[in-house]
Amino acid sequence: MHVQLLTRTKAFCGCVNQYGGDPNTHCCPTCLGLPGALPVLNRQAVEYAVLAAKAIGCEIRERSIFSRKNYFYPDSPKGYQISQFDKPIAENGHLFVPGPNGEPKRIGITRLHMEEDAGKSVHDGFADSINKTYIDLNRCGTPLVEIVSEPDLRSADEVFDYLTKLKEILLYTGVSDCNMEEGSLRCDANVSVMLKGATEYGTKAEVKNVNSFRYIRSAVEYEIERQIGVIEDGGRVQQESRLWNNAEGRTYSMRSKEKAHDYRYFPEPDLPPLVVGPDWQRSILAQMPELPEARRARMIAAYDISEQDAMTLTATRAFADQFEDAAKQAKNPRRVANLILSELTSRLRLADLEQDQSPVSMAGIVMAADLLESGDLSSKMLKQLLDTAFANSEDFPAVYEREKPQQISDSSAIEGMIDEVIAANDNQVEQYRKGKRTVAAFFVGQVMRASKGQANPALLNELVTKKLDALGPL
């Protein structure tokens, strides 16, 4: 996985690190590899690399080396890429994904190393794109980390789960926006198959630069079946790079794959060794946020919610922060969680809105939770107010102040309505007195209708039972 780091400037120069812009405007002599231009390492890129590495359980190498990885593409003007080879900044990490039996399965992470991105070849969008390629070097020099997993993944579903978890962790640390559409996150899948009982992996083929986890799952599924078919037909799998064509649902050959020694790695002569000593590591790790799994475990205990509910509340770090800030302000934090998980989430889904597009703010949820807690609103009244808020794209406080429904908690007023309902429904009264106690719900519903949903539900249930029991059995 290649991850663009969210630094303000590029890896080895002061050019802005920003997606888009007019072609070839975010460039300088260092980006372009012009004679006499020297690289200077971005300190924040190092700190983000260390943060990402520790978040996925890697060991940090105090002294790492930058190397030149030599190859030529038109969008790489230097003719080499500054990367790390035999002494990367981090190694030996791991993540856990759901295994075949539901138990956590450990996926090893070989290394996380730093490097710079290449530019971009543009193959369409121009009148003569059919026979010309255009080059945009704005992306040249963007700081990357490359994260390489061990060959522990055994299915396309495990690949999907691994990538999803890795992306979630990276987003929580804030080192990248992980925007796959903009190329902030790009994945290469090395796929090989082996005969049952074999001791060595088969020849691998690399599926490059797939820009969606869903597509990667499909590409891996296809590539497994393709390689099995090649072997069963008596052929040999070729080591090569392949591209995924989503429209056709297949991979196709791009080029034969070079081996590591073809890149002629050697230490970058213009950069000294990178030393990340204990003091610097401690200051970097002080910025580490609470990671998703730890946060979910704490929230399950703190708010008495299910694991699935915790997954919803921690979908993003920003949303989890908003929820916990709201929970601290409310009279009953559990009510805030319940309102988000039931009332808010269901309405967002129906309106096809993301959490950050909700017309009802967290402050509105806190207000609603406190009104429920104090008994000033019934759940039915709250549902109606939330429906209005979503229908009008208004926040809850504005709707409440305008509608101002008042819950009736005066026992004498509720008793009067109960008496009227009992007097008008002799058949149901007789059923209750003969022992059919579930009929009480009928009287509760009738009074709720008469009160336009404003009767205090707890008090109403209590008074209905009391009134009906006072009539005695038949």
Side-chain angles (χ1 to χ4, degrees), residues 372-386:
L372 278 178
E373 187 70 16
S374 64
D376 291 325
L377 277 184
S378 68
S379 59
K380 182 176 181 180
M381 292 158 64
L382 174 62
K383 289 176 187 293
Q384 293 170 344
L385 292 173
L386 287 174

Side-chain angles (χ1 to χ4, degrees), residues 227-238:
Q227 292 187 22
I228 290 173
V230 168
I231 293 169
E232 290 184 343
D233 289 343
R236 295 180 62 183
V237 175
Q238 299 298 312

Side-chain angles (χ1 to χ4, degrees), residues 91-344:
E91 296 176 297
N92 304 324
H94 66 274
L95 291 180
F96 288 95
V97 301
N101 56 0
E103 294 297 313
K105 177 179 177 179
R106 188 183 190 277
I107 306 300
I109 293 173
T110 312
R111 56 192 278 141
L112 176 148
H113 66 258
M114 300 181 67
E115 60 186 26
E116 62 178 339
D117 211 343
K120 186 176 181 181
S121 297
V122 183
H123 302 290
D124 51 31
F126 297 93
D128 53 358
S129 289
I130 193 168
N131 53 25
K132 288 186 179 179
T133 293
Y134 287 77
I135 304 296
D136 180 4
L137 298 176
N138 279 348
R139 199 174 66 181
C140 247
T142 295
L144 298 176
V145 291
E146 180 172 318
I147 301 170
V148 183
S149 69
E150 290 284 319
D152 295 334
L153 297 160
R154 291 290 174 271
S155 70
D157 285 340
E158 287 183 9
V159 169
F160 183 87
D161 291 338
Y162 166 79
L163 294 173
T164 301
K165 178 166 275 191
L166 193 48
K167 178 182 176 182
E168 180 186 54
I169 291 171
L170 293 169
L171 285 171
Y172 258 72
T173 60
V175 304
S176 175
D177 62 16
C178 297
N179 187 324
M180 297 190 77
E181 291 182 359
E182 295 181 357
S184 301
L185 198 66
R186 306 193 294 277
C187 301
D188 302 340
N190 290 290
V191 182
S192 67
V193 298
M194 58 197 294
L195 293 171
K196 289 182 179 179
T199 56
E200 293 185 4
Y201 294 106
T203 303
K204 67 183 179 183
E206 179 186 42
V207 184
K208 287 193 69 67
N209 289 345
V210 188
N211 65 355
S212 145
F213 291 171
R214 192 162 48 88
Y215 292 170
I216 287 177
R217 177 157 55 187
S218 298
V220 169
E221 287 173 346
Y222 174 86
E223 191 59 23
I224 290 170
E225 293 304 315
R226 184 191 72 84
Q227 292 187 22
I228 290 173
V230 168
I231 293 169
E232 290 184 343
D233 289 343
R236 295 180 62 183
V237 175
Q238 299 298 312
Q239 182 164 334
E240 60 183 345
S241 293
R242 299 178 68 86
L243 294 178
W244 169 249
N245 185 315
N246 189 61
E248 297 178 10
R250 60 184 288 267
T251 64
Y252 60 92
S253 182
M254 174 179 153
R255 61 173 180 265
S256 63
K257 176 67 178 172
E258 300 128 322
K259 295 183 180 176
H261 60 75
D262 292 330
Y263 291 126
R264 303 188 319 282
Y265 282 101
F266 63 85
E268 167 58 69
D270 293 331
L271 287 170
L274 170 60
V275 179
V276 186
D279 291 343
W280 193 11
Q281 287 190 42
R282 277 193 293 272
S283 71
I284 295 170
L285 296 183
Q287 305 168 42
M288 183 74 77
E290 185 179 25
L291 295 175
E293 283 191 0
R295 189 166 200 172
R296 281 194 277 271
R298 177 179 59 76
M299 287 171 63
I300 288 169
Y303 304 109
D304 187 28
I305 56 179
S306 69
E307 186 173 352
Q308 185 57 49
D309 288 345
M311 292 282 288
T312 301
L313 292 173
T314 58
T316 67
R317 179 180 169 186
F319 186 69
D321 289 344
Q322 290 170 17
F323 160 68
E324 296 220 81
D325 287 344
K328 290 172 186 173
Q329 297 169 32
K331 295 174 183 176
N332 184 338
R334 174 69 180 148
R335 277 198 186 275
V336 174
N338 280 338
L339 284 180
I340 292 171
L341 293 166
S342 57
E343 303 298 341
L344 189 64

